[in-house]
């Protein structure tokens, strides 16, 4: 099967919340030498965009979004060992998590896997993480970078609260943010260092942040 077809099948597997197709196509992608970043960017992620549009138009409802997420997670599990590479963590330490009140974690998981694969020590705090836990973890682990995901307009404020608390407690690290309601203007307005729109770009962006 050619590369284009495999990417199309990955997309379709999410659109149709077909776990078996997601797993099968993920394995085919690996066998065909498609990188996990490309599979997410041009396959699985495209399927999730369709799900998102249909949800917006009320053509589908939450159970279908959840089913699509399950298919996405099943595919990511298959890619995971291939994202971990020969990671001897020497490049730096990054704390990541999804902010308090927000249970969306797929994007954050993609980012964590990409960074781990690139040789960073990633401390993944999970989802729905209290602000103080981000700050505490950065301090304890002497992290170089803090990264926070927020997927809702109601929770994106958590990204600002992390920076506010770090300033208050004089905890110093570079910061990078992402998620649907987040953009460059928002990150600039809260005094963050970088906005990252996708997992495909995160490694280069974090490399740049650390090099100063
Ligand atoms: C899948 C999904 C869910 C799944 C989540 C499953 C899971 N395990 O994560 C489920 C079904 C559980 C869910 C629940 C809800 N959801 Co929802 N969900 C989505 C959906 C369709 C896709 C998100 C996703 O996984 N995308 C795929 C990943 C790969 O992409 P991504 O998240 O954008 O991440 C990439 C980049 O953004 C970036 N990135 C993201 N974070 C970070 C962080 C860092 C540090 C960096 C560097 C980069 C980075 O890199 C990632 C990888 O490429 C979005 C739509 C959207 N436009 O995002 C709605 C969406 C986010 N959900 C929404 C809502 C309203 C909800 C619910 C409140 C629904 C409800 N009524 O219960 C609940 C949330 C409850 C809560 N307290 O959190 C709304 C939010 C609206 C708003 N207020 O802003 C959205 C926008 C849908 C919509 N258009 O209405 N959801």
């Amino acid at each position: 099967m050619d590369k284009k077809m495999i990417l199309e099948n990955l997309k379709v597997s999410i659109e149709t919340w077909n776990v078996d197709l997601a797993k099968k196509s993920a394995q085919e992608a690996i066998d065909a030498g498609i990188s996990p970043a490309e599979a997410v960017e041009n396959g699985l992620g495209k399927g999730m965009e369709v799900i998102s549009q249909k949800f917006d138009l009320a053509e589908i409802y939450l159970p279908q979004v959840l089913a699509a997420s399950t298919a996405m997670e099943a595919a990511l599990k298959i890619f995971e060992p291939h994202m971990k590479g020969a990671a001897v963590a020497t490049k730096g330490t990054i704390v990541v998590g999804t902010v308090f009140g927000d249970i969306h974690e797929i994007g954050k998981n993609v980012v964590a896997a990409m960074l781990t694969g690139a040789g960073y020590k990633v401390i993944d705090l999970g989802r729905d993480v209290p602000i103080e836990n981000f700050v505490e973890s950065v301090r304890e682990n002497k992290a170089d970078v803090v990264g926070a995901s927020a997927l809702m307009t109601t929770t994106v404020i958590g990204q600002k609260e992390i920076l506010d608390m770090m300033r208050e407690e004089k905890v110093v690290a570079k910061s990078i943010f992402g998620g649907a309601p987040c953009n460059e203007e928002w990150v600039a307005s809260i005094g963050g260092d970088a906005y990252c729109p996708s997992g495909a770009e995160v490694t280069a962006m974090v490399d740049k942040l650390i090099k100063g």
Side-chain angles (χ1 to χ4, degrees):
M1 201 182 301
D2 74 342
K3 201 170 133 177
K4 214 171 136 208
M5 193 68 211
I6 295 171
L7 290 171
E8 179 62 21
N9 280 347
L10 284 169
K11 173 173 175 272
V12 169
S13 75
I14 305 305
E15 275 176 50
T16 56
W17 46 90
N18 184 335
V19 173
D20 289 339
L21 183 62
K23 286 189 195 162
K24 184 171 157 274
S25 307
Q27 191 54 55
E28 282 168 357
I30 291 162
D31 295 342
I34 297 173
S35 74
E38 189 175 1
V40 173
E41 266 326 273
N42 299 327
L44 300 167
K46 295 274 179 232
M48 197 54 102
E49 278 172 26
V50 175
I51 288 289
S52 178
Q53 284 156 9
K54 287 189 174 168
F55 184 65
D56 277 349
L57 297 169
E59 286 176 9
I60 57 168
Y61 298 94
L62 214 54
Q64 288 82 29
V65 180
L66 194 55
S69 309
T70 307
M72 179 108 177
E73 279 158 14
L76 288 175
K77 256 216 161 65
I78 294 186
F79 282 116
E80 220 171 62
H82 301 268
M83 288 163 139
K84 301 228 147 126
V88 189
T90 51
K91 287 178 81 175
T93 302
I94 175 162
V95 168
V96 297
T98 303
V99 298
F100 185 64
D102 199 323
I103 63 163
H104 296 89
E105 63 177 344
I106 296 173
K108 182 267 296 167
N109 290 348
V110 168
V111 159
M114 297 285 182
L115 289 168
T116 305
Y120 283 97
K121 178 178 176 194
V122 177
I123 296 157
D124 185 347
L125 302 177
R127 60 187 194 178
D128 191 12
V129 179
I131 304 310
E132 56 271 28
N133 292 18
F134 280 95
V135 181
E136 196 46 45
S137 181
V138 171
R139 182 170 26 221
E140 256 176 30
N141 296 291
K142 298 187 174 52
D144 304 284
V145 181
V146 61
S149 185
L151 267 287
M152 299 192 288
T153 48
T154 47
T155 57
V156 73
I157 191 75
Q159 297 178 335
K160 176 179 184 297
E161 288 169 356
I162 292 171
L163 293 180
D164 288 348
M165 194 173 201
M166 281 173 62
R167 277 182 213 112
E168 232 166 73
E169 303 203 359
K170 303 196 178 1
V171 174
V172 179
K174 293 285 167 80
S175 59
I176 186 163
F177 300 105
C182 184
N183 55 38
E184 256 173 54
E185 294 84 75
W186 165 251
V187 173
S189 78
I190 63 174
D193 294 307
Y195 160 66
C196 175
S198 87
E201 284 154 77
V202 68
T203 302
M205 292 186 97
V206 171
D207 286 351
K208 205 168 146 207
L209 280 182
I210 287 190
K211 279 183 198 129

